[in-house]
Amino acid sequence: MSLVLDQVGLSVAEAAVISDVSLTLERGTMNVLLGPTLSGKTSLMRLMAGLDRPTSGRVLADGKDVTGVPVRRRSVAMVYQQFVNYPTLTVYENIASPLRVAGVKRVELEARVQEAARFLRLEGLLQRLPGELSGGQQQRTAIARALVKGAELVLLDEPLANLDYKLREELREELPRIFARSGAILVYATTEPAEALLLGGSTATLCEGRMTQVGPTARVYRRPENLDAARVFSDPPLNELAVEKRGALVTLRNGRQMPPSALLAGLPGGSYSLGFRADAVTLGDALASAMSFPGVVSVTEISGSESFIHVDVGLGTWVCLAPGVHDWQPGSAVEMRVDARQVFVFDAAGRLAAAPGMAETA
């Protein structure tokens, strides 16, 4: 099956929830919806499933208009972040429920339930009720039910958020492979850029109900087409610097002037925003291609093998990603070096105007 959203929109009480989204999803593909909370991910999934009807545009399945077709008449499975199970049914019966509705024979039903239970480590829990399970076990039950259904469209709405770290990492790797083997269209919603990169496939970035970019995940990450897409695909948040280019000089918001970088040098005069991720910033010795900004440390976050250092540079607070454990104290004076080779330049409308290697790949 292929699924096409053709200029789909959704409004609630005259407020736009989804705005003119066009998207094509092919059989056997992994598709990530990446965006912050309230960006429209769940609303878009509900339109794909037929749980809600769009107020504009069409939904096509294999070229057939299914805009008004209810979810019960579609081949769809959906798993939410907040697990949904039948409270009076055992784990076994919860997993088996879509197979019983479909009239699957007992021997095949047993085999498919046991296979899903093994994969999701539920073998010893099959006779328990959902109320006797932990949150993670209940979510695994919901995922198993979606897995055995064999649906053509599988929608996973932040499904791993309630699982422990180790199981989350394992399932994040295995789920796309399992569902792809069935030939299903897999749509996975997440707020985490790192999760999108791990899942691969294709990613659509969402911001306030608008799809800001879609394409192969690595390409969208490396070459955001606009400022909104760059912000969505950056964690920690994208570091930004507003500049004004006039002639041979670039003026910052604090009045500081500096010669334009190679990226800015080829652009016409005007207002621009520079965007760069935390790994483009270092503290210490300057790179030949670096722009330097003095600042004061506001906080240091240590996460095992790396540290995130938040620095007030007088033009905003930027974040630097430093490998290893660093204990920079608040109030410490530092020099931030921004590697110009990793900077995106966006014009006044937020469109990508320049990026390293852009001319070669245009």
Side-chain angles (χ1 to χ4, degrees), residues 235-252:
D235 183 30
L238 186 73
N239 299 313
E240 298 179 39
L241 176 64
V243 302
E244 190 80 18
K245 184 188 178 191
R246 290 288 179 264
L249 289 175
V250 169
T251 304
L252 310 186

Side-chain angles (χ1 to χ4, degrees), residues 164-184:
D164 64 76
Y165 176 80
K166 183 177 181 181
L167 184 58
R168 186 167 67 245
E169 293 299 302
E170 290 177 1
L171 291 182
R172 191 181 278 152
E173 179 180 346
E174 289 295 330
L175 279 176
R177 191 177 307 154
I178 293 295
F179 284 111
R181 193 183 307 151
S182 70

Side-chain angles (χ1 to χ4, degrees), residues 5-175:
L5 305 183
D6 180 19
Q7 295 185 307
V8 164
L10 176 66
S11 297
V12 178
E14 299 185 358
V17 177
I18 299 294
S19 301
D20 294 328
V21 170
S22 292
L23 186 62
T24 299
L25 309 176
E26 297 293 346
R27 186 177 187 273
T29 59
M30 158 60 75
N31 306 274
V32 179
L33 301 180
L34 175 64
T37 301
L38 300 179
S39 61
K41 302 185 300 297
T42 300
S43 297
L44 197 57
M45 282 184 157
R46 290 180 63 87
L47 293 174
M48 292 177 184
L51 289 166
D52 294 328
R53 181 167 184 158
T55 50
S56 61
R58 301 181 301 160
V59 180
L60 306 175
D62 285 336
K64 180 182 178 182
D65 191 338
V66 295
T67 306
V69 178
V71 64
R72 65 180 178 274
R73 292 173 53 195
R74 301 195 197 184
S75 180
V76 178
M78 190 165 186
V79 178
Y80 295 92
Q81 178 181 350
Q82 299 302 323
F83 41 80
V84 179
N85 293 303
Y86 300 108
T88 60
L89 298 182
T90 64
V91 170
Y92 183 100
E93 288 300 332
N94 263 282
I95 299 172
S97 58
L99 302 179
R100 294 199 188 283
V101 170
V104 174
K105 293 182 179 179
R106 184 176 60 82
V107 173
E108 182 184 352
L109 181 149
E110 172 73 15
R112 287 166 67 173
V113 170
Q114 292 294 343
E115 180 184 14
R118 280 194 301 273
F119 172 62
L120 288 150
R121 301 181 184 176
L122 294 168
E123 304 104 303
L125 306 173
L126 289 175
Q127 298 311 312
R128 293 191 187 181
L129 295 172
E132 300 172 318
L133 305 177
S134 69
Q137 290 166 343
Q138 291 201 51
Q139 184 67 311
R140 280 186 273 157
T141 301
I143 294 172
R145 188 169 61 249
L147 179 62
V148 300
K149 188 175 182 181
E152 294 180 317
L153 174 63
V154 180
L155 305 169
L156 304 177
D157 192 359
E158 300 185 54
L160 308 184
N162 294 319
L163 304 184
D164 64 76
Y165 176 80
K166 183 177 181 181
L167 184 58
R168 186 167 67 245
E169 293 299 302
E170 290 177 1
L171 291 182
R172 191 181 278 152
E173 179 180 346
E174 289 295 330
L175 279 176

